[in-house]
């Protein structure tokens, strides 16, 4: 069975009945391809299992479970031959967790079909991962390998995560039986699966190991011990397991700590809200107070997410919900707030927080920022309209502006000579070309090209920010051939020009590990907090002159952004416009070329040439 066929089996096992459209979407192929694969799969399964079709829906019926399991195991070995690092690591750990004593490398090799040299190499890569679970691998000559845990409760968490990522390791019959036992309790479907999985994990552990008495470090249960469902759950556990320890019961019930549910003890929840607020307050105060956000208001928004984020981290549970990959680029200020907060949480609880958790925090922070920005919107943007227009045409033009800049003021003049020179204009719309200071003067035809109008407004606003000292734009040619060296070269140039301090590069490399800042069309956007004390947003154009490739992408432009340490809402608006500009450059070839040819000695409105 090749990987494409196995994926269909996996989906049908995990999801139950699935439509052709759903399978096609999951596999990123056409419906006809799925139908052909189903035929191939049926010939592989023969009388072991049948794929039944009802209308446009497929379901899997297994007739000979043992034979079916052999087919799955055979495929697993084939997948290992494909050198999948995740499956390789999990397979080795799973083999070690099955035994209480030493396991020879020959035994592991025979069981999972891996070369002994590959196993030894993989063990070196496993050290950091196992450290998260207080585990180390003891390797003794003549005896083999053994997993040792400083806290054996983490062995259950490790085995559970292996089962979650590779369902083929699970004893499917036990899992199904456990789900059936819980089904009579009328629990939510998600909780039934999670608790049944934990029961299956403990069953596997108890086959070869002693009872676990260690408690999960830093873990505090939130469920109500007097709740009728909790009492019923414990009765189910006691009927299955002999002499359950408190720590084992805690592990079995731990899914109740991961999300809002009716089994939580409100008093306990309030207690940990207050405890979390004490240590989080300092981080929030430090990162958001200069922006004008109220710490208590922001904490009230994020307290539930933080509570479960901490619990997921303590339980080594991953948040697998997928958010857009560009969140850190789209909301850089909120991303910095989120990084600051997660660093405090990681240090306090000795946990690692994954990027999905951070992205959720970004969305919470961004909501708070946008609410504040909405209240403080600048109403002074002024545009000039020059020419003789009928009232209906003038109303149309003003309406076009208002669609994009709802709070703008439009002043109308018949000729350029009538312009009020005491007033400041964002740009001027005219039927006839002329020059007016550094203000863009554009033809009325731009109104009929909405993308061009958006570009005009963005560039005109940034020009104004530059004149107000809120933004600095500077260009350099770069000659290195790797992403990190290019950024280092760009930072060095900016340090030489006294725009940045040398620590910027180190700050950026630390945050780069949380998010890849290379986007489409060969554009990279390294950004970090600028500790130079300058109260302006820095945007530096780095033009890549040599062939540089990163993550299979040919780099052409590096847009480095320095975010001031002390922010107010006007600077956040500047950052937002800068990111809008970069997004426009990535999509518009004329803007792209204008960025490549940018002249530091000319006004920023040079970016409008050819638009």
């Amino acid at each position: 069975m090749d990987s494409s066929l196995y994926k269909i089996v996996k989906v049908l096992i995990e999801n139950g009945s699935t439509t052709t459209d759903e399978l096609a979407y999951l596999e990123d192929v056409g419906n006809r391809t799925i139908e052909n694969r189903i035929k191939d799969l049926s010939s592989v399964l023969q009388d072991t299992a049948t794929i039944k079709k009802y209308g446009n829906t497929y379901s899997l019926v297994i007739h000979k479970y043992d034979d079916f399991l052999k087919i799955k195991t055979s495929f697993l070995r084939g997948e290992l031959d494909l050198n999948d690092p995740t499956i390789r690591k999990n397979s080795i750990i799973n083999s070690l967790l099955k035994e209480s004593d030493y396991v020879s490398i020959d035994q592991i090799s025979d069981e999972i079909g891996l070369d002994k040299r590959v196993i030894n190499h993989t063990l070196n890569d496993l050290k950091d991962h196992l450290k998260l679970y207080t585990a180390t691998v003891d390797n003794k000559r003549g005896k083999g390998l053994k997993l040792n845990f400083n806290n054996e409760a983490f062995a259950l968490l490790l085995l559970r995560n292996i089962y979650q990522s590779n369902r083929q390791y699970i004893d499917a019959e036990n899992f199904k039986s456990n789900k059936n036992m819980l089904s009579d309790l009328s629990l939510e479907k998600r909780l039934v699966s999670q608790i049944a999985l934990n029961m299956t994990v403990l069953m596997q552990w108890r086959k070869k190991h002693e009872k676990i008495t260690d408690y999960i470090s830093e873990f505090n249960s939130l469920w109500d011990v007097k709740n009728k469902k909790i009492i019923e759950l414990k009765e189910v556990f006691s009927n299955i397991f002999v002499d359950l320890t408190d720590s084992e019961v805690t592990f079995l019930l731990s899914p109740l700590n991961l999300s809002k549910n009716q089994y939580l003890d409100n008093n306990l929840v309030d207690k940990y809200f207050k405890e979390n607020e004490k240590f989080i307050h300092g981080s929030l105060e430090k990162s958001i107070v200069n922006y004008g956000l109220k710490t208590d208001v922001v904490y009230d928004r994020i307290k539930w997410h933080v509570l479960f984020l901490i619990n997921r981290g303590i339980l080594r549970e991953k948040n697998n919900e997928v958010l857009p990959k560009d969140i850190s680029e789209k909301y850089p200020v909120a991303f910095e707030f989120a990084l600051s907060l997660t660093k405090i949480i990681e240090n306090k609880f000795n946990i690692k927080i994954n990027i999905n958790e951070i992205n959720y925090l970004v969305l919470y922070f961004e909501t708070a920022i946008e609410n504040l920005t909405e209240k403080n919107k600048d109403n002074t943007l002024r545009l000039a309209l020059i020419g003789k227009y009928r009232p209906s045409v003038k109303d149309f033009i003003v309406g076009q502006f208002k669609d994009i800049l709802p709070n703008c003021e439009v002043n109308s003049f018949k000729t350029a000579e009538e312009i009020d020179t005491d007033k400041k204009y964002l740009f001027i719309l005219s039927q006839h070309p002329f020059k007016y200071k550094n203000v863009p003067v554009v033809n009325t035809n731009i109104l009929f090209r909405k993308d061009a109008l958006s570009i005009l407004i963005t560039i005109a606003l940034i020009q104004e920010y530059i004149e107000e000292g809120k933004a600095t734009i500077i260009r350099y040619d770069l000659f290195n051939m790797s992403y990190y060296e290019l950024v280092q070269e760009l930072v060095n140039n900016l340090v030489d020009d006294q725009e940045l301090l040398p620590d910027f590069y180190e700050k950026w490399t630390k945050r780069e590990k949380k998010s890849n800042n290379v986007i489409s069309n060969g554009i990279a956007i390294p950004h970090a907090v600028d500790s130079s004390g300058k109260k302006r947003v820095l945007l530096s154009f780095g033009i890549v002159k040599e062939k540089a490739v990163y993550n299979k992408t040919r780099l052409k432009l590096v847009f480095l952004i320095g975010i001031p340490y002390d922010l107010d809402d006007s600077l956040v608006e500047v950052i937002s416009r800068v990111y809008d500009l970069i997004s426009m450059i990535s999509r518009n070839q004329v803007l792209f070329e204008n960025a490549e040819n940018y002249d530091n000695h000319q006004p920023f409105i040079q970016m409008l040439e050819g638009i």
Side-chain angles (χ1 to χ4, degrees), residues 314-416:
I314 290 170
L315 292 171
R316 310 307 191 251
E317 180 88 22
K318 290 184 178 180
N319 182 345
N320 292 319
E321 293 187 56
V322 179
L323 293 174
K325 294 180 179 179
D326 62 348
I327 282 181
S328 62
E329 285 73 48
K330 195 171 183 180
Y331 309 121
V333 175
F335 188 64
E336 295 301 331
F337 291 166
L339 284 182
S340 175
L341 176 55
T342 53
K343 184 177 180 181
I344 297 290
I345 293 173
E346 287 180 337
N347 290 339
K348 179 173 176 59
F349 295 100
N350 191 29
I351 59 178
K352 291 293 181 184
I353 297 174
N354 69 29
I355 189 63
N356 284 342
E357 299 280 13
I358 295 173
N359 284 342
Y360 266 103
L361 281 177
V362 170
L363 295 181
Y364 282 111
F365 280 121
E366 182 60 25
T367 300
I369 290 171
E370 288 181 356
N371 287 344
L372 182 66
T373 304
E374 189 67 27
K375 294 177 184 177
N376 298 319
K377 268 194 173 177
D378 183 3
N379 294 318
T380 61
L381 291 178
R382 186 177 291 110
L383 316 176
L385 177 62
I386 299 176
K388 297 177 181 179
Y389 303 96
R390 292 193 302 272
S392 58
V393 175
K394 189 182 296 184
D395 289 343
F396 168 77
I397 293 172
V398 172
Q400 291 290 96
F401 290 145
K402 293 285 186 179
D403 283 345
I404 300 177
L405 296 171
N407 300 308
C408 70
E409 174 187 318
V410 181
N411 295 162
S412 179
F413 308 98
K414 290 182 179 179
T415 65

Side-chain angles (χ1 to χ4, degrees), residues 8 12 38 41-42 45 49-53 58-61:
I8 293 175
L12 293 176
I38 293 288
L41 185 54
S42 296
L45 295 174
T50 303
I51 298 177
K52 293 192 173 182
K53 185 176 183 181
Y58 292 100
S59 62
L60 179 69
V61 179

Side-chain angles (χ1 to χ4, degrees), residues 233-245:
L233 275 169
K234 290 182 178 179
E235 289 175 355
V236 171
F237 300 155
S238 62
N239 289 333
I240 300 172
F241 299 98
V242 178
D243 297 328
L244 269 175
T245 66

Side-chain angles (χ1 to χ4, degrees), residues 82-180:
L82 298 176
N83 206 27
D84 184 315
T86 301
I87 293 177
R88 185 171 65 242
K89 291 176 183 178
N90 285 339
S91 298
I92 293 171
I93 295 172
N94 187 55
S95 293
L96 295 174
L97 284 170
K98 286 180 181 178
E99 304 295 335
S100 59
D101 205 347
Y102 288 88
V103 184
S104 71
I105 293 182
D106 285 335
Q107 182 179 334
I108 297 174
S109 177
D110 290 340
E111 180 180 342
I112 62 178
L114 265 180
D115 186 270
K116 289 187 287 187
R117 290 172 297 180
V118 176
I119 293 173
N120 281 318
H121 178 74
T122 304
L123 288 173
N124 292 327
D125 297 336
L126 276 173
K127 290 179 181 177
D128 288 340
H129 178 65
L130 291 175
K131 190 176 179 181
L132 293 174
Y133 297 87
T134 76
T136 55
V137 178
D138 186 15
N139 189 349
K140 285 192 175 180
R141 184 182 295 273
K143 297 185 73 173
L145 309 173
K146 181 182 177 183
L147 271 181
N148 292 323
F149 293 85
N150 290 335
N151 183 327
E152 285 199 332
F154 286 91
L156 298 178
L157 302 181
L158 178 56
L159 187 55
R160 181 211 59 205
N161 284 346
I162 288 176
Y163 283 3
Q164 283 184 330
S165 61
N166 297 285
R167 290 298 177 103
Q168 58 263 44
Y169 299 126
I170 297 177
D171 185 328
E173 286 298 312
N174 278 342
F175 181 56
K176 183 178 179 181
S177 175
N178 291 333
K179 287 180 70 174
N180 289 338

Side-chain angles (χ1 to χ4, degrees), residues 160-358:
R160 181 211 59 205
N161 284 346
I162 288 176
Y163 283 3
Q164 283 184 330
S165 61
N166 297 285
R167 290 298 177 103
Q168 58 263 44
Y169 299 126
I170 297 177
D171 185 328
E173 286 298 312
N174 278 342
F175 181 56
K176 183 178 179 181
S177 175
N178 291 333
K179 287 180 70 174
N180 289 338
M181 278 185 277
L182 297 176
S183 62
D184 294 335
L185 300 183
S186 300
L187 297 168
E188 290 87 340
K189 187 176 180 180
R190 173 183 51 80
L191 286 175
V192 168
S193 293
Q194 290 174 330
I195 295 173
L197 180 64
N198 282 7
M199 292 166 66
T200 309
V201 166
L202 186 57
M203 285 178 175
Q204 176 63 40
W205 177 263
R206 283 281 197 97
K207 286 180 181 179
K208 293 289 182 74
H209 301 82
E210 299 293 328
K211 294 181 292 186
I212 287 181
T213 57
D214 294 332
Y215 285 92
I216 301 169
S217 305
E218 302 285 355
F219 181 81
N220 295 290
S221 62
L222 297 176
W223 50 85
D224 181 0
V225 294
K226 296 180 181 179
N227 184 284
K228 181 182 177 182
K229 294 294 182 186
I230 304 297
I231 294 171
E232 291 176 350
L233 275 169
K234 290 182 178 179
E235 289 175 355
V236 171
F237 300 155
S238 62
N239 289 333
I240 300 172
F241 299 98
V242 178
D243 297 328
L244 269 175
T245 66
D246 288 343
S247 58
E248 289 173 334
V249 172
T250 298
F251 167 71
L252 293 173
L253 291 175
S254 60
L256 298 174
N257 256 44
L258 299 176
S259 61
K260 263 189 181 181
N261 57 67
Q262 58 187 305
Y263 317 110
L264 299 178
D265 184 321
N266 292 329
N267 292 327
L268 286 175
V269 169
D270 288 340
K271 174 187 173 184
Y272 290 111
F273 278 161
K274 291 173 184 176
E275 289 190 7
N276 291 343
E277 185 174 19
K278 288 178 184 176
F279 80 87
I280 285 174
H281 187 276
S283 171
L284 291 178
E285 191 74 24
K286 181 179 178 182
S287 60
I288 71 177
V289 69
N290 292 327
Y291 178 58
L293 294 172
K294 292 184 178 180
T295 305
D296 56 342
V297 173
V298 173
Y299 179 71
D300 193 59
R301 285 179 178 273
I302 66 174
K303 64 183 181 182
W304 279 103
H305 183 74
V306 167
L307 177 69
F308 297 129
L309 177 152
I310 292 170
N311 289 338
R312 283 190 288 267
I314 290 170
L315 292 171
R316 310 307 191 251
E317 180 88 22
K318 290 184 178 180
N319 182 345
N320 292 319
E321 293 187 56
V322 179
L323 293 174
K325 294 180 179 179
D326 62 348
I327 282 181
S328 62
E329 285 73 48
K330 195 171 183 180
Y331 309 121
V333 175
F335 188 64
E336 295 301 331
F337 291 166
L339 284 182
S340 175
L341 176 55
T342 53
K343 184 177 180 181
I344 297 290
I345 293 173
E346 287 180 337
N347 290 339
K348 179 173 176 59
F349 295 100
N350 191 29
I351 59 178
K352 291 293 181 184
I353 297 174
N354 69 29
I355 189 63
N356 284 342
E357 299 280 13
I358 295 173

Side-chain angles (χ1 to χ4, degrees), residues 422-441:
D422 293 331
K423 291 183 179 180
K424 188 174 183 180
Y425 297 99
L426 183 65
F427 61 85
I428 299 170
L429 198 68
S430 173
Q431 293 174 317
H432 305 287
F434 68 96
K435 287 190 176 182
Y436 185 82
K437 303 179 182 178
N438 282 335
V439 178
V441 179

